[in-house]
Amino acid sequence: MTLLTLETTAPVLLRHGLWPMHPFADPAMVELGEQLPFAWRELKQLQRRRLASLGMSEDVVHPAERESFAEVIEAALIGHAPKLFARMLSEGSPLFDEGLVDPGGLRAGVDRLVSGRYVEERDTKILEVLSLHMSATAFLS
């Protein structure tokens, strides 16, 4: 998630002469995070325990409503992404060229979205394909 955030903010910061840095993107920190047991990483348990140790209240450590962008992602994928995917499928993509994404599988996923059969657990991954396509295209241009 940290790297996806940097992917979107870094170009803006660089254009303004600022070097983007994020402590959670430090290779040593990433390596540490990968070595932690899954139970500590799941639902940000390590961060929650730290907040609790700092004396934060239960509603801060374990809020009743989980922060989620699920509705925003669904609206973006159903409302805006199909046009971007249509262009990607018609013009091609470095992801297709390198065999990283199957155009037929992508087309089937996009058809499900267009028909309104969005399923969060399955379809949020398709957003990553669009993000990687846009990044690769921008990098290679």
Side-chain angles (χ1 to χ4, degrees):
M1 190 54 73
T2 298
L3 295 178
L4 288 173
T5 302
L6 281 173
E7 179 183 309
T8 58
T9 58
V12 176
L13 293 171
L14 288 168
R15 273 187 235 121
H16 288 89
L18 300 172
W19 187 258
M21 293 185 69
H22 197 295
F24 292 130
D26 178 75
M29 184 64 93
V30 171
E31 186 178 343
L32 171 66
E34 289 172 344
Q35 294 174 10
L36 292 174
F38 180 74
W40 289 19
R41 292 181 280 145
E42 184 179 33
L43 298 174
K44 301 181 181 174
Q45 290 304 310
L46 189 60
Q47 292 92 327
R48 292 179 192 283
R49 289 177 187 177
R50 176 70 175 142
L51 290 173
S53 75
L54 293 171
M56 296 289 167
S57 65
E58 186 64 19
D59 62 324
V60 171
V61 177
H62 296 286
E65 248 183 83
R66 235 177 105 204
E67 181 181 283
S68 174
F69 292 100
E71 294 85 12
V72 174
I73 291 172
E74 180 178 1
L77 283 173
I78 291 173
H80 304 289
K83 292 176 188 168
L84 298 171
F85 282 121
R87 186 171 55 204
M88 180 181 171
L89 288 163
S90 69
E91 296 175 4
S93 171
L95 303 177
F96 302 156
D97 299 341
E98 296 299 319
L100 298 171
V101 173
D102 171 39
L106 179 61
R107 186 172 283 109
V110 172
D111 289 345
R112 276 194 309 267
L113 288 175
V114 171
S115 69
R117 291 181 287 162
Y118 176 82
V119 176
E120 182 179 359
E121 294 79 22
R122 176 192 66 207
D123 295 327
T124 53
K125 299 290 184 210
I126 201 168
L127 184 60
E128 293 178 33
V129 171
L130 186 57
S131 176
L132 287 171
H133 165 73
M134 292 170 71
S135 297
T137 303
F139 180 76
L140 296 171
S141 296

